[in-house]
Amino acid sequence: GRKDNEGPQHAVTFARPFAIGRHEVTRGQFRSFVDASGHAPAAGCNVWNGERWQADENLSWLSPGFDQDEDHPVVCISHDDVLKYVEWLSGETGQTYQLLSEAEWEYAARAGGTLRFASADRERDLCRFANIADEVAKRTFSGWTIAPCSDGFVQTAPVGRFAANAWGLHDMIGNAGEWVDDCFNES
């Protein structure tokens, strides 16, 4: 069920151990960065128009086109915004932070395992672990292919709302897209 450019599976070795946050960065955490640093995040967001993803320069992390509160994952931020956040967080904490590589992200999402959907083998079990394209989303986005379950959210959900994976990480699939720190490679 994967896309052609998402395989084949292959072994990856990490040069050093890494740590990862337990869930996505929240709007509240990102707001703390913006308030403390004075950084002005880029405007614009990619939104689903019912047929395809389309840029909308009128949307922003403060107004993504749907309701969110401070416990929701921050969305509508650029790669540059993320890098500035990571730099600020490193300075604030005295620890070194960076974006994960795609391989590190997938390893963490799968908690070192090989299940079909990172935290589940069956589609109907996905809604226990993630806010995904499901029966609730289909009411708004009728053309979507969905999982046969209901997570209760059309757009983003507050972080940590769903069951954690085997390593205690939440929201590793669904909810919001994550930036990683390597370039897309067609092969």
Side-chain angles (χ1 to χ4, degrees), residues 85-145:
Y85 173 81
V86 169
E87 180 182 337
W88 170 82
L89 185 61
S90 295
E92 287 293 303
T93 64
Q95 301 294 317
T96 302
Y97 289 89
Q98 65 185 48
L99 290 178
L100 297 176
S101 70
E102 185 175 358
E104 289 168 332
W105 180 88
E106 184 162 347
Y107 181 67
R110 293 181 176 283
T114 59
L115 295 174
R116 181 175 176 212
F117 296 111
S119 296
D121 264 334
R122 300 177 309 189
E123 284 186 45
R124 69 174 180 255
D125 296 332
L126 285 173
C127 291
R128 286 186 40 237
F129 295 97
N131 177 16
I132 58 166
D134 66 344
E135 293 166 354
V136 174
K138 183 112 175 145
R139 293 181 208 138
T140 301
F141 302 105
S142 60
W144 280 13
T145 300

Side-chain angles (χ1 to χ4, degrees), residues 5-116:
N5 65 6
E6 295 177 329
Q9 286 186 354
H10 58 280
V12 174
T13 303
F14 302 114
R16 63 187 184 284
F18 62 92
I20 181 175
R22 292 189 178 168
H23 54 71
E24 298 152 322
V25 173
T26 66
R27 279 176 48 126
Q29 292 167 323
F30 193 76
R31 183 185 305 279
S32 294
F33 152 66
V34 169
D35 290 348
S37 70
H39 176 71
C45 222
N46 286 325
V47 295
W48 185 256
N49 69 9
E51 295 178 15
R52 67 183 186 290
W53 291 99
Q54 179 178 323
D56 185 335
E57 296 303 318
N58 296 313
L59 301 178
S60 71
W61 72 278
L62 289 170
S63 182
F66 51 89
D67 290 338
Q68 283 192 311
D69 63 33
E70 297 298 276
D71 293 328
H72 282 248
V74 64
V75 296
C76 294
I77 56 175
S78 71
H79 190 255
D80 183 61
D81 294 333
V82 173
L83 294 178
K84 297 274 195 244
Y85 173 81
V86 169
E87 180 182 337
W88 170 82
L89 185 61
S90 295
E92 287 293 303
T93 64
Q95 301 294 317
T96 302
Y97 289 89
Q98 65 185 48
L99 290 178
L100 297 176
S101 70
E102 185 175 358
E104 289 168 332
W105 180 88
E106 184 162 347
Y107 181 67
R110 293 181 176 283
T114 59
L115 295 174
R116 181 175 176 212

